Amino acid sequence: NIVIGGAAGAFPPLIGWAAVTGEIAVLPVLLFLITFLWTPPHFWALALYKDTEYAKAGLPMLPVVAGHKATRNQILIYSVILVAASLLPWALGLLGTIYGLTAAGTGFLFLLAAIQLWQKDADTYAKRLFGFSIFYLFAIFASVIIDSI
C-alpha cells in the first residue's frame, strides 16, 4: 500500500513544474523519483514502531503482514536506491554544488540510519530514521530551490 500510494504522493513536483512551465523535464521527473523512493523507508520506519496499532486497526502495513526483518530489509534496499537517485540531479548537471553537497551529506546520514535499523530491530532506530527522513526530504527540496536561485 505504501509503494503504490507513494506514487500519488510523489506527483506534486511534476504537477507544479508542468503548471508553471507547461512542459515536463528531466529534473521534475527525478524529483518525483526521489519522493517516490523516499516514501517507503519513511512510512515503514513509522510502521515498525507503530505495528501493533496498525494491526489493531486492520491496516496491512509491511511490518504487520511480512514482519520486522522483511521490513528492515526493504527499508535498506529503498534507502540505497533513494540515495543513488538523489545524486542524479547533480551528476547530470541539472543542479549545482549546494544540491550535490546536501544530497551527499544527508544521503550518507539517511543510509547510516537505515543501516543501524537494519542491524538492530529497535524502536529507537526506527524513530530516528523516521524523524531524519522528514528533515532529509526538506533539505533535498530546499537545496533544489537554493541551488536554482
Side-chain angles (χ1 to χ4, degrees):
N1 62 352
I2 292 303
V3 175
I4 295 167
F11 271 111
L14 281 171
I15 294 167
W17 189 283
V20 171
T21 67
E23 61 185 30
I24 297 295
V26 174
L27 182 57
V29 171
L30 292 174
L31 296 176
F32 167 90
L33 180 64
I34 290 165
T35 308
F36 174 76
L37 293 169
W38 167 87
T39 301
H42 170 74
F43 283 105
W44 288 334
L46 171 67
L48 280 171
Y49 69 89
K50 294 291 187 180
D51 60 341
T52 55
E53 294 177 34
Y54 281 113
K56 285 179 188 176
L59 295 172
M61 294 296 282
L62 190 59
V64 175
V65 298
H68 280 219
K69 184 176 182 178
T71 303
R72 292 185 351 257
N73 288 340
Q74 289 298 309
I75 286 172
L76 184 59
I77 291 166
Y78 271 87
S79 297
V80 168
I81 298 168
L82 165 63
V83 171
S86 74
L87 295 171
L88 287 174
W90 171 77
L92 295 173
L94 301 171
L95 293 169
T97 304
I98 293 170
Y99 177 85
L101 291 173
T102 302
T106 59
F108 172 78
L109 294 173
F110 197 104
L111 279 178
L112 183 62
I115 290 167
Q116 289 173 334
L117 177 58
W118 179 74
Q119 290 174 332
K120 185 166 182 163
D121 186 14
D123 285 355
T124 302
Y125 294 111
K127 288 176 182 177
R128 183 179 297 158
L129 178 59
F130 175 74
F132 183 75
S133 70
I134 295 167
F135 172 76
Y136 171 83
L137 196 64
F138 165 78
I140 289 292
F141 277 85
S143 68
V144 168
I145 293 167
I146 293 166
D147 217 14
S148 298
I149 295 175

